[in-house]
Structure formats: C-alpha cells, structure tokens
Amino acid sequence: MGTMNKHSLSRRQFNARMAALGLSLPLAGRLLAADQAPQAVRRSVRLPDGTMVPALGMGAWHLGIDRHPPAVEEEAVNAGLALGMTLIDTSGNYGHGRSEQFLGKALAGQRDKIYLVSKVEGDEIAGDGIARACAASLARLGTDHLDLYLLHWPVPTDKFAGVVAAFEQLRAAGKIRAWGVSNFDTGQMAALFKVPNGERCATNQVPYSLNRRDIERELLPWCAEHRMPVMAYSPLGGDNNLVIKDRVLQQIGAAHGCTAAAVALAWVIRSGAVIAIPESGSPAHTKENAQALTLTLTPQELQQLATTYP
Ligand SMILES: NC(=O)c1ccc[n+]([C@@H]2O[C@H](COP(=O)([O-])OP(=O)(O)OC[C@H]3O[C@@H](n4cnc5c(N)ncnc54)[C@H](OP(=O)(O)O)[C@@H]3O)[C@@H](O)[C@H]2O)c1
C-alpha cells in the first residue's frame, strides 16, 4: 500500500517530539533506557491490506461539542498527532456532525499524516444511503477520502451483502480506502465472511478495557484466527467506568514513570492485534495516553492486572 511509513515516526523522531512537548523527566529517562532496549519501539498494528497504523489512536465522540474549549481540544489533538497517535476515530452521527466538523478544522493542512476513520449508521443503508452518508462525512471533514469507513452497529444479517457491495463501490471510487464493522459479535462476523467480499473487512470496533474483557472469550480468538485486528473503544472504561483511579494501575505506572491511564492502554494493546482509541479533549491527558505507545508491561504486571480484573 506504500503507507507503511506514512503513519509512523522513528523512535528518534518520537523522542525529539516528546522532549519538544516538555514531557516529564522520569519519562525522558525511560525513553533513554528504551534507546538501549530496541524492543521498546512504538507499537503499530498491521491491517489485513498491509497498512500499518499506530496501536493507539484518538477517539472523537465528544470533541467539538464544547465539553472543553475548542482551542484546548485542538491542542489535545495536535499533541496526540505529534506523539504518534495518528489514527482518528469519528462518526457521522457524533454530535450530529459536530465531531467531524471540528476535525475538519483541526486537521486542515495535515490530512496526509492521518489515518481517518468514520462511520455510517444502520438506518442509513437503504438505497444509495451509504454513499450519501459518506459524501456528507467527507464534506464535514473537508477531505476527499476516508481511510476506513465502519458500519456503526449491526444490521440484520440479510442486509450484509448489500452493505459490503456499497462499501466496495466506495472503495473502487476512491472515497474510502478500506471498510469495517463495529459492535459485531462472533456469529455476525462469521455471517459477514460468508457474503461476497465480506472477508475484506478490515476490523471490528468493539468495547474492550480492563473492566470489560468479554471479547476475550470468543471474538478476539476468532479475529486472531482470521488475522483481523480489533479496534478497542472505551479503552479506559468509558466516561462512567474509568479505571484510572485504581491503585494497582497507579503503582505499576509509578514503576514506569507514567500514569494509570497509560498502563490501562498499554494493557489493551499488549497483543499487537488490538488498536485502542482513547478519547481526550485535554492536552495533558492526551500526552499521558501517548506514553502507552512505548510502554511494555512485565509478565508479572500483566499477571497482577489479570488478577485484579478477572
Ligand atoms: N463504535 C462505537 O459504538 C463506539 C462507542 C463508544 C466509543 N467509541 C469511540 O471510542 C472513543 C473512546 O471511547 P469513550 O470516549 O467511550 O471512552 P474512553 O476513551 O475509555 O474514556 C474517555 C474519558 O476518559 C477521559 N480521559 C481520557 N484520558 C484520560 C487520562 N489520561 N486521565 C484521565 N481521564 C482521561 C476523558 O476525559 P478528558 O477529555 O477530560 O480527558 C473521557 O471522559 C470514542 O471517542 C469514540 O471514538 C465508539
């Protein structure tokens, strides 16, 4: 695809940007140590078409709706991009289009370094609805293509073939580079793979965090078997169940010179087959989250987390 390097920085570039952003001394020390430990490179994930994307992106569900001042949110997004979180997840329906409009402004002039993901709703698929929804998203985002377009929620199985055909038409027309689904269970994934071109699905975006591990039973193994990465939403537990106050996470974070949030995210992306899309409209939180890109938890720490969050 030729996109191998477009979405990733070298460790040297990353370290320089960390320093430029004034990140903490313990972290700088850890990155110095990382220079002597070649395995501590920034994590990326391979999509089925060969495209490499960072293992950590940024969610945009509540961006552009005044939860934080727009300038602060823009600063947060730019801090995340500078630190390598160059995958951005939005949806046509987030804030009734305001998330995409916000991103259109924030990403102007730097679209080429971003892997941009948006979504279409199940009630938009009739007729040429997917093409129309995509055109509306492209207009709000101020771009001519999406890197990935997802069906936000499952529709009845007998509609899968039509959805895939519409996605493939958009791909052929250059409006999207790849397509995928969201909130599909294992049975729905198997049904999707049975329709023509269904196996071209790039990913399934589902909830996954320390306090929500149900996909480990069936869906994660199924996706691994089919060499398809999962995209983890609400990786910090979501607004109401944030895991970051947990003492075990804080202790592990202290040992690595990072926060509980980075530990929670490093856990989510530990396998190399999961992309996490934490959301933050706060520059400080975004910088904390980016640390997970280079954080490797020890087997003991992974064991401790597995016991704390069975
Ligand atoms: N496909 C779907 O059906 C679906 C469903 C839900 C979400 N999503 C996607 O997944 C993204 C993330 O999910 P989410 O927003 O539900 O949950 P999340 O990323 O687990 O949590 C977001 C919350 O964590 C806070 N936060 C972020 N980093 C933090 C840090 N370092 N320290 C303390 N607090 C921190 C944020 O507040 P601040 O802004 O104050 O940092 C926000 O309140 C969404 O933006 C969306 O793109 C998709």
Side-chain angles (χ1 to χ4, degrees), residues 135-161:
S137 282
L138 293 177
R140 285 188 292 264
L141 286 160
T143 184
D144 62 355
H145 75 281
L146 296 170
D147 294 286
L148 179 63
Y149 202 31
L150 305 178
L151 177 64
H152 206 156
W153 287 90
V155 293
T157 315
D158 63 358
K159 308 270 187 221
F160 286 3

mmCIF file of all heavy atoms in Angstrom, residues 135-161:
data_model
loop_
_atom_site.group_PDB
_atom_site.id
_atom_site.type_symbol
_atom_site.label_atom_id
_atom_site.label_comp_id
_atom_site.label_asym_id
_atom_site.label_seq_id
_atom_site.Cartn_x
_atom_site.Cartn_y
_atom_site.Cartn_z
ATOM 1 N N ALA A 135 -20.553 10.868 1.561
ATOM 2 C CA ALA A 135 -20.321 12.194 0.956
ATOM 3 C C ALA A 135 -20.505 13.293 2.003
ATOM 4 O O ALA A 135 -19.723 14.256 2.051
ATOM 5 C CB ALA A 135 -21.275 12.401 -0.222
ATOM 6 N N ALA A 136 -21.513 13.148 2.868
ATOM 7 C CA ALA A 136 -21.764 14.160 3.903
ATOM 8 C C ALA A 136 -20.601 14.191 4.905
ATOM 9 O O ALA A 136 -20.156 15.261 5.336
ATOM 10 C CB ALA A 136 -23.085 13.866 4.614
ATOM 11 N N SER A 137 -20.092 12.994 5.273
ATOM 12 C CA SER A 137 -18.951 12.948 6.197
ATOM 13 C C SER A 137 -17.722 13.602 5.563
ATOM 14 O O SER A 137 -17.015 14.375 6.211
ATOM 15 C CB SER A 137 -18.625 11.497 6.585
ATOM 16 O OG SER A 137 -19.556 11.035 7.558
ATOM 17 N N LEU A 138 -17.463 13.275 4.285
ATOM 18 C CA LEU A 138 -16.297 13.849 3.602
ATOM 19 C C LEU A 138 -16.404 15.377 3.574
ATOM 20 O O LEU A 138 -15.407 16.077 3.803
ATOM 21 C CB LEU A 138 -16.179 13.296 2.180
ATOM 22 C CG LEU A 138 -15.842 11.805 2.061
ATOM 23 C CD1 LEU A 138 -15.832 11.374 0.592
ATOM 24 C CD2 LEU A 138 -14.494 11.484 2.716
ATOM 25 N N ALA A 139 -17.622 15.890 3.324
ATOM 26 C CA ALA A 139 -17.800 17.343 3.267
ATOM 27 C C ALA A 139 -17.516 17.967 4.638
ATOM 28 O O ALA A 139 -16.817 18.976 4.744
ATOM 29 C CB ALA A 139 -19.211 17.681 2.806
ATOM 30 N N ARG A 140 -18.054 17.340 5.703
ATOM 31 C CA ARG A 140 -17.819 17.903 7.047
ATOM 32 C C ARG A 140 -16.345 17.828 7.430
ATOM 33 O O ARG A 140 -15.816 18.707 8.105
ATOM 34 C CB ARG A 140 -18.671 17.159 8.084
ATOM 35 C CG ARG A 140 -20.150 17.535 8.059
ATOM 36 C CD ARG A 140 -20.898 16.916 9.225
ATOM 37 N NE ARG A 140 -20.995 15.483 9.115
ATOM 38 C CZ ARG A 140 -22.039 14.814 8.607
ATOM 39 N NH1 ARG A 140 -23.088 15.486 8.156
ATOM 40 N NH2 ARG A 140 -22.038 13.510 8.555
ATOM 41 N N LEU A 141 -15.684 16.752 7.016
ATOM 42 C CA LEU A 141 -14.273 16.556 7.369
ATOM 43 C C LEU A 141 -13.331 17.338 6.451
ATOM 44 O O LEU A 141 -12.130 17.423 6.721
ATOM 45 C CB LEU A 141 -13.926 15.062 7.311
ATOM 46 C CG LEU A 141 -14.483 14.214 8.458
ATOM 47 C CD1 LEU A 141 -14.513 12.734 8.081
ATOM 48 C CD2 LEU A 141 -13.663 14.419 9.735
ATOM 49 N N GLY A 142 -13.874 17.864 5.351
ATOM 50 C CA GLY A 142 -13.037 18.625 4.418
ATOM 51 C C GLY A 142 -11.966 17.773 3.765
ATOM 52 O O GLY A 142 -10.824 18.209 3.580
ATOM 53 N N THR A 143 -12.329 16.547 3.405
ATOM 54 C CA THR A 143 -11.353 15.664 2.760
ATOM 55 C C THR A 143 -12.022 14.933 1.600
ATOM 56 O O THR A 143 -13.256 14.930 1.501
ATOM 57 C CB THR A 143 -10.780 14.651 3.777
ATOM 58 O OG1 THR A 143 -9.765 13.852 3.148
ATOM 59 C CG2 THR A 143 -11.848 13.712 4.320
ATOM 60 N N ASP A 144 -11.209 14.313 0.740
ATOM 61 C CA ASP A 144 -11.795 13.607 -0.411
ATOM 62 C C ASP A 144 -11.866 12.098 -0.192
ATOM 63 O O ASP A 144 -12.371 11.377 -1.046
ATOM 64 C CB ASP A 144 -11.029 13.940 -1.699
ATOM 65 C CG ASP A 144 -9.572 13.498 -1.635
ATOM 66 O OD1 ASP A 144 -9.135 13.019 -0.564
ATOM 67 O OD2 ASP A 144 -8.866 13.633 -2.653
ATOM 68 N N HIS A 145 -11.318 11.616 0.927
ATOM 69 C CA HIS A 145 -11.420 10.171 1.200
ATOM 70 C C HIS A 145 -11.306 9.882 2.691
ATOM 71 O O HIS A 145 -10.706 10.655 3.447
ATOM 72 C CB HIS A 145 -10.329 9.408 0.450
ATOM 73 C CG HIS A 145 -8.967 9.564 1.062
ATOM 74 N ND1 HIS A 145 -8.193 10.680 0.878
ATOM 75 C CD2 HIS A 145 -8.274 8.743 1.889
ATOM 76 C CE1 HIS A 145 -7.066 10.536 1.547
ATOM 77 N NE2 HIS A 145 -7.083 9.382 2.184
ATOM 78 N N LEU A 146 -11.889 8.755 3.073
ATOM 79 C CA LEU A 146 -11.692 8.220 4.426
ATOM 80 C C LEU A 146 -10.711 7.062 4.298
ATOM 81 O O LEU A 146 -10.708 6.347 3.298
ATOM 82 C CB LEU A 146 -13.009 7.678 4.993
ATOM 83 C CG LEU A 146 -14.125 8.683 5.225
ATOM 84 C CD1 LEU A 146 -15.431 7.939 5.560
ATOM 85 C CD2 LEU A 146 -13.751 9.626 6.366
ATOM 86 N N ASP A 147 -9.893 6.863 5.309
ATOM 87 C CA ASP A 147 -9.014 5.695 5.289
ATOM 88 C C ASP A 147 -9.788 4.430 5.656
ATOM 89 O O ASP A 147 -9.472 3.348 5.176
ATOM 90 C CB ASP A 147 -7.839 5.916 6.242
ATOM 91 C CG ASP A 147 -6.962 7.040 5.734
ATOM 92 O OD1 ASP A 147 -6.234 6.811 4.751
ATOM 93 O OD2 ASP A 147 -7.057 8.160 6.258
ATOM 94 N N LEU A 148 -10.794 4.601 6.498
ATOM 95 C CA LEU A 148 -11.585 3.443 6.935
ATOM 96 C C LEU A 148 -13.011 3.908 7.232
ATOM 97 O O LEU A 148 -13.202 4.941 7.875
ATOM 98 C CB LEU A 148 -10.943 2.852 8.206
ATOM 99 C CG LEU A 148 -11.601 1.639 8.857
ATOM 100 C CD1 LEU A 148 -11.598 0.432 7.923
ATOM 101 C CD2 LEU A 148 -10.882 1.280 10.160
ATOM 102 N N TYR A 149 -13.982 3.152 6.730
ATOM 103 C CA TYR A 149 -15.396 3.500 6.951
ATOM 104 C C TYR A 149 -16.061 2.295 7.604
ATOM 105 O O TYR A 149 -15.974 1.170 7.082
ATOM 106 C CB TYR A 149 -16.044 3.811 5.593
ATOM 107 C CG TYR A 149 -17.301 4.661 5.651
ATOM 108 C CD1 TYR A 149 -17.488 5.614 6.657
ATOM 109 C CD2 TYR A 149 -18.286 4.537 4.674
ATOM 110 C CE1 TYR A 149 -18.633 6.407 6.675
ATOM 111 C CE2 TYR A 149 -19.430 5.338 4.683
ATOM 112 C CZ TYR A 149 -19.586 6.277 5.696
ATOM 113 O OH TYR A 149 -20.707 7.060 5.718
ATOM 114 N N LEU A 150 -16.707 2.525 8.738
ATOM 115 C CA LEU A 150 -17.272 1.418 9.507
ATOM 116 C C LEU A 150 -18.804 1.481 9.544
ATOM 117 O O LEU A 150 -19.378 2.564 9.617
ATOM 118 C CB LEU A 150 -16.769 1.467 10.962
ATOM 119 C CG LEU A 150 -15.258 1.493 11.204
ATOM 120 C CD1 LEU A 150 -14.970 1.600 12.706
ATOM 121 C CD2 LEU A 150 -14.607 0.236 10.632
ATOM 122 N N LEU A 151 -19.421 0.310 9.534
ATOM 123 C CA LEU A 151 -20.850 0.224 9.854
ATOM 124 C C LEU A 151 -20.943 0.262 11.384
ATOM 125 O O LEU A 151 -20.421 -0.609 12.068
ATOM 126 C CB LEU A 151 -21.433 -1.088 9.311
ATOM 127 C CG LEU A 151 -22.905 -1.337 9.647
ATOM 128 C CD1 LEU A 151 -23.818 -0.287 9.001
ATOM 129 C CD2 LEU A 151 -23.327 -2.748 9.229
ATOM 130 N N HIS A 152 -21.583 1.310 11.929
ATOM 131 C CA HIS A 152 -21.516 1.604 13.367
ATOM 132 C C HIS A 152 -22.116 0.506 14.251
ATOM 133 O O HIS A 152 -21.564 0.154 15.285
ATOM 134 C CB HIS A 152 -22.244 2.935 13.622
ATOM 135 C CG HIS A 152 -21.757 3.670 14.834
ATOM 136 N ND1 HIS A 152 -21.909 5.022 14.973
ATOM 137 C CD2 HIS A 152 -21.128 3.252 15.952
ATOM 138 C CE1 HIS A 152 -21.399 5.413 16.132
ATOM 139 N NE2 HIS A 152 -20.918 4.358 16.741
ATOM 140 N N TRP A 153 -23.262 -0.012 13.847
ATOM 141 C CA TRP A 153 -23.941 -1.063 14.609
ATOM 142 C C TRP A 153 -24.454 -2.128 13.643
ATOM 143 O O TRP A 153 -24.757 -1.807 12.491
ATOM 144 C CB TRP A 153 -25.118 -0.478 15.423
ATOM 145 C CG TRP A 153 -24.621 0.325 16.591
ATOM 146 C CD1 TRP A 153 -24.335 1.668 16.600
ATOM 147 C CD2 TRP A 153 -24.317 -0.158 17.899
ATOM 148 N NE1 TRP A 153 -23.870 2.045 17.832
ATOM 149 C CE2 TRP A 153 -23.849 0.946 18.658
ATOM 150 C CE3 TRP A 153 -24.381 -1.420 18.517
ATOM 151 C CZ2 TRP A 153 -23.448 0.838 19.992
ATOM 152 C CZ3 TRP A 153 -23.993 -1.533 19.849
ATOM 153 C CH2 TRP A 153 -23.540 -0.420 20.569
ATOM 154 N N PRO A 154 -24.568 -3.370 14.103
ATOM 155 C CA PRO A 154 -25.028 -4.436 13.204
ATOM 156 C C PRO A 154 -26.425 -4.152 12.655
ATOM 157 O O PRO A 154 -27.248 -3.531 13.330
ATOM 158 C CB PRO A 154 -25.069 -5.675 14.105
ATOM 159 C CG PRO A 154 -24.233 -5.361 15.296
ATOM 160 C CD PRO A 154 -24.261 -3.870 15.457
ATOM 161 N N VAL A 155 -26.654 -4.609 11.438
ATOM 162 C CA VAL A 155 -27.978 -4.601 10.818
ATOM 163 C C VAL A 155 -28.361 -6.075 10.656
ATOM 164 O O VAL A 155 -27.518 -6.949 10.864
ATOM 165 C CB VAL A 155 -27.931 -3.873 9.453
ATOM 166 C CG1 VAL A 155 -27.649 -2.388 9.638
ATOM 167 C CG2 VAL A 155 -26.885 -4.491 8.513
ATOM 168 N N PRO A 156 -29.615 -6.389 10.286
ATOM 169 C CA PRO A 156 -29.972 -7.802 10.096
ATOM 170 C C PRO A 156 -29.034 -8.475 9.088
ATOM 171 O O PRO A 156 -28.618 -7.848 8.114
ATOM 172 C CB PRO A 156 -31.410 -7.733 9.559
ATOM 173 C CG PRO A 156 -31.938 -6.428 10.079
ATOM 174 C CD PRO A 156 -30.763 -5.498 10.107
ATOM 175 N N THR A 157 -28.756 -9.743 9.341
ATOM 176 C CA THR A 157 -27.762 -10.490 8.541
ATOM 177 C C THR A 157 -28.077 -10.448 7.037
ATOM 178 O O THR A 157 -27.159 -10.386 6.225
ATOM 179 C CB THR A 157 -27.734 -11.963 9.020
ATOM 180 O OG1 THR A 157 -27.731 -11.952 10.436
ATOM 181 C CG2 THR A 157 -26.507 -12.676 8.525
ATOM 182 N N ASP A 158 -29.372 -10.448 6.689
ATOM 183 C CA ASP A 158 -29.695 -10.472 5.251
ATOM 184 C C ASP A 158 -29.369 -9.145 4.550
ATOM 185 O O ASP A 158 -29.489 -9.039 3.330
ATOM 186 C CB ASP A 158 -31.165 -10.876 5.029
ATOM 187 C CG ASP A 158 -32.149 -9.882 5.625
ATOM 188 O OD1 ASP A 158 -31.712 -8.884 6.260
ATOM 189 O OD2 ASP A 158 -33.371 -10.080 5.462
ATOM 190 N N LYS A 159 -28.959 -8.143 5.321
ATOM 191 C CA LYS A 159 -28.548 -6.862 4.705
ATOM 192 C C LYS A 159 -27.030 -6.783 4.505
ATOM 193 O O LYS A 159 -26.531 -5.813 3.919
ATOM 194 C CB LYS A 159 -28.951 -5.676 5.602
ATOM 195 C CG LYS A 159 -30.399 -5.658 6.032
ATOM 196 C CD LYS A 159 -31.216 -4.890 5.030
ATOM 197 C CE LYS A 159 -32.641 -4.719 5.536
ATOM 198 N NZ LYS A 159 -33.627 -4.914 4.485
ATOM 199 N N PHE A 160 -26.287 -7.758 5.019
ATOM 200 C CA PHE A 160 -24.817 -7.680 4.979
ATOM 201 C C PHE A 160 -24.294 -7.557 3.544
ATOM 202 O O PHE A 160 -23.401 -6.749 3.269
ATOM 203 C CB PHE A 160 -24.169 -8.906 5.634
ATOM 204 C CG PHE A 160 -24.248 -8.921 7.147
ATOM 205 C CD1 PHE A 160 -24.908 -7.925 7.848
ATOM 206 C CD2 PHE A 160 -23.641 -9.948 7.864
ATOM 207 C CE1 PHE A 160 -24.986 -7.950 9.243
ATOM 208 C CE2 PHE A 160 -23.698 -9.978 9.255
ATOM 209 C CZ PHE A 160 -24.369 -8.982 9.940
ATOM 210 N N ALA A 161 -24.835 -8.387 2.617
ATOM 211 C CA ALA A 161 -24.304 -8.386 1.247
ATOM 212 C C ALA A 161 -24.424 -7.002 0.612
ATOM 213 O O ALA A 161 -23.490 -6.525 -0.050
ATOM 214 C CB ALA A 161 -25.032 -9.433 0.401
#
